[in-house]
Amino acid sequence: MATAMSTEGTSSSWLRGETRKKPTAFLLRALLFVCVAFRVAVALIRVLYHAAAGSVLGVARVLFAAANERCLRGMDRAALGRGSFFAGAMANSWRVLMQGLASLMFLCARADEYVRQPPSPLVLTDHDKPAAHPQQVHISTVGRDKMRISWVTDDRSTPSVVEYGKSRGNYTASATGGHATYKYFFYESGAIHHVTIGPLAPGTTYHYRCGKAGDELTLRTPPASLPIELVVTGDLGQTRWTASTLAHIGGADYDMLLLPGDLSYADTQQPLWDSFGRLVQPLASARPWMVTEGNHEAEALPVVGFAPFVAYNARWRMPHEESGSASNLYYSFDAAGGAAHVVMLGSYAEFEEGSEQRAWLERDLAGVDRRRTPWLLVLLHAPWYNTNQAHQGEGEAMRAAMEALLYEARVDVVFSGHVHAYERFTRIYDNEADGRGPMYITIGDGGNREGLALKFLEDHKSAHLSVFQEASFGHGRLRIVDETSAVWTWHRNDDEYATVRDEVWLESLASPKLSMATAGPRDKL
């Protein structure tokens, strides 16, 4: 033992001992040293080349790749049970670095755009129940009479089963689905379960339990005919403002919630997806939530090979296949027994002439019979019309590619988010007032961490088309009364009350009159 310790004490003795005992191991170590030296030399040459060319981005890419390779090696060592302290420290440092870079990227991209009020603290919702206990439960409609139940468990071996029935504790039916996980840097999700149940009766309350281990939950299916009430809120996040919005939404009944993008504001920090799912579960497990993606769902890091929308697509699976869409980023569905058709477009999927999304939209709208479906609604993230200083022109390319399709189909209302304020326009087509065009409503004021977009441009070219503007947090409700009439109200988060600040009556563009009766904004309280 003493001889062995002495041999390890000096490098020359170590080399002699290794050469005599294990020549193959020595050669491998030497080769590894040469390879590492060569890679370092190549990296330095690349850095010097980019520096000489004045390419800061090129230098950053080389350094980033080198750091990422080292970090991945540390992760592999941790997975094999070696070097746990080193690997753990590196993993944590890398996570902090990446979160900082992501935050800096978003900050720099918007530094000169507009000034927001100070951000609100996050409302983080913990999970303190057993690993097999379902969490983050949310539901969505699938076809005419089915619902998809989605949830997460930390235990990846729990069954993807939903038991359900019309009375408490009496489950007369069950359905089985599947689950999957995803990885993002050093984060690995729990098991994300998706189970479709049905056929279900419309307008009916069901009691259900996920995974044979959770609490009993209650949902109500949407009605099979009008009237129907739809809540619309965008750019939700998970702050105290969000909590206020959710409380106001839950304070009055509704049938379905529509969300035009920007859900969790995780922005690469994957645990925030989990916290968001727990925050919205009380509402999202009781009424269907139909969502589409926003820019904060992308989370793409091409240098490291992360494709966009990995977390969003895994967690919030929408019925795109049922509507003939090839992507979870855009789809459509019917509500109220087909009296309303809702199209969820993807602002961050290809939409130009010849794109898959545009071809799908043409087919989808062509299949809508306005005699049977008097109401046609569209949701997307980046607004096509916007007089706020924030995000000017970001929806223009999509508007140029798709606006004519919506106009020809006589879409009644287009909802969007992205701009953190409320704005309602008159009916528009091609930048002019047109009674046969959609009404455009921006409602990106759900409660995100970035604050409100406070400045509207009085001299904007679309200012004469803008009917009502206010930079406040809140949510909206569209109550479709019958085949010809609907009422839209916007509810501002005003202290403890959801104050109604804007109200307008609409007449369906499927109506022969093709007109709209309006009531102006309510007087200030």
Side-chain angles (χ1 to χ4, degrees), residues 262-332:
D262 282 0
L263 283 70
S264 70
Y265 282 77
D267 291 331
T268 75
Q269 302 179 54
Q270 298 305 300
L272 290 182
W273 275 110
D274 297 308
S275 179
F276 175 79
R278 293 189 286 265
L279 176 65
V280 302
Q281 175 177 313
L283 296 184
S285 64
R287 300 289 185 273
W289 278 38
M290 310 304 291
V291 307
T292 189
E293 88 282 2
N295 55 301
H296 285 275
E297 273 72 67
E299 300 184 300
L301 291 172
V303 177
V304 229
F306 287 122
F309 306 109
V310 170
Y312 170 77
N313 285 333
R315 295 171 180 270
W316 290 82
R317 185 180 298 175
M318 293 292 112
H320 66 277
E321 290 134 332
E322 290 76 8
S323 64
S325 166
S327 171
N328 193 52
L329 303 181
Y330 52 89
Y331 63 97
S332 66

Side-chain angles (χ1 to χ4, degrees), residues 37-87:
F38 177 76
R39 292 170 65 186
V40 170
V42 170
L44 289 174
I45 291 171
R46 292 175 64 195
V47 168
L48 292 173
Y49 169 79
H50 289 298
S55 175
V56 177
L57 181 59
V59 173
R61 282 175 176 167
V62 174
L63 296 177
F64 185 95
N68 188 58
E69 185 275 334
R70 182 73 173 171
C71 190
L72 292 176
R73 187 143 51 93
M75 182 179 67
D76 291 339
R77 288 172 60 83
L80 294 172
R82 307 188 193 109
S84 57
F85 176 79
F86 166 77

Side-chain angles (χ1 to χ4, degrees), residues 144-145 200-206 220-225:
R144 183 177 59 86
D145 57 2
L200 306 173
T204 302
T205 297
Y206 286 87
R220 191 183 71 208
T221 56
S225 60

Side-chain angles (χ1 to χ4, degrees), residues 11 55 62 84 115 122 124 130 155 213 231-232 245 268 282 286 297 326 348 361 378 387-388 390 429 436 466 475 493:
S11 59
S55 175
V62 174
S84 57
V115 177
L122 296 179
L124 300 178
D155 183 349
V231 165
V232 187
T245 298
T268 75
E297 273 72 67
Y348 304 96
L361 179 60
V378 170
T387 70
N388 197 288
Y429 176 61
R436 294 164 62 92
S466 181
H475 76 280
N493 292 0

Side-chain angles (χ1 to χ4, degrees), residues 392-515:
Q392 270 300 310
E394 291 185 21
E396 180 60 21
M398 192 178 191
R399 182 195 71 80
M402 291 184 164
E403 185 180 26
L405 295 178
L406 272 55
Y407 181 75
E408 292 165 4
R410 298 290 179 262
V411 169
D412 294 289
V413 189
V414 176
F415 295 102
S416 61
H418 204 34
V419 175
H420 300 164
Y422 173 74
E423 183 169 23
R424 175 170 61 84
F425 292 85
T426 187
R427 293 192 179 277
I428 303 174
Y429 176 61
D430 197 19
N431 288 289
E432 295 295 338
D434 190 321
R436 294 164 62 92
M439 174 188 290
Y440 287 84
I441 296 175
T442 301
I443 189 158
D445 58 347
N448 62 85
R449 61 175 167 76
E450 296 174 324
L452 293 165
L454 300 173
K455 186 175 181 180
F456 289 92
L457 304 175
E458 296 181 2
D459 59 348
H460 193 278
K461 66 177 183 180
S462 300
H464 66 291
L465 303 171
S466 181
V467 178
F468 188 87
Q469 312 160 345
E470 185 170 322
S472 296
F473 290 108
H475 76 280
R477 291 173 179 260
L478 180 67
R479 180 170 179 80
I480 304 177
V481 180
D482 54 33
E483 288 75 12
T484 59
S485 301
V487 59
W488 165 258
T489 53
W490 175 60
H491 302 247
R492 183 182 68 188
N493 292 0
D494 186 7
D495 300 324
E496 60 184 306
Y497 304 106
T499 306
V500 176
R501 286 285 294 136
D502 187 30
E503 183 177 57
V504 59
W505 280 85
L506 298 90
E507 186 172 340
S508 166
L509 291 184
S511 166
K513 295 181 180 179
L514 294 176
S515 62

